[in-house]
Amino acid sequence: MTMAALSAALAAIQPAFTEAERLAFAGFLAGYRGLTREAYGLDLRQFASWCRGRSLAVFAIRRADIEGLPGTWKPGAGLAQPSQGGCGP
């Protein structure tokens, strides 16, 4: 019986967040717990990954960087208007 040689390749892994992002996200998440905290944590990880994929710094992104994306709200596009963060008139 022959023994197959095992090899391991190492891959460089980029940290998920910069130190400033990690501190800001941790501060934001500190106000939540349970499933809400887990959901917001996932949202933040996905957003940071999206930014990295487009070579955008998380804290340097502008509204214009996001508004032109498919699936974002545009007047007359037949999608519901985003909430403005308030209730009533």
Side-chain angles (χ1 to χ4, degrees), residues 17-60:
F17 304 116
T18 66
E19 185 65 14
E21 292 167 352
R22 188 184 68 74
L23 290 172
F25 293 165
F28 172 77
L29 291 173
Y32 301 95
R33 61 180 194 199
L35 295 176
T36 301
R37 182 184 175 116
E38 289 179 31
Y40 281 151
L42 175 61
D43 289 343
L44 291 171
R45 287 190 304 275
Q46 290 175 333
F47 179 68
S49 177
W50 179 87
C51 289
R52 268 194 316 279
R54 286 156 183 77
S55 299
L56 297 168
V58 170
F59 296 131

Side-chain angles (χ1 to χ4, degrees), residues 50 60-69 72-73 82 84:
W50 179 87
I61 197 161
R62 300 165 301 144
R63 185 175 179 168
D65 294 323
I66 297 172
E67 283 185 340
L69 298 174
T72 56
W73 181 80
Q84 298 301 312

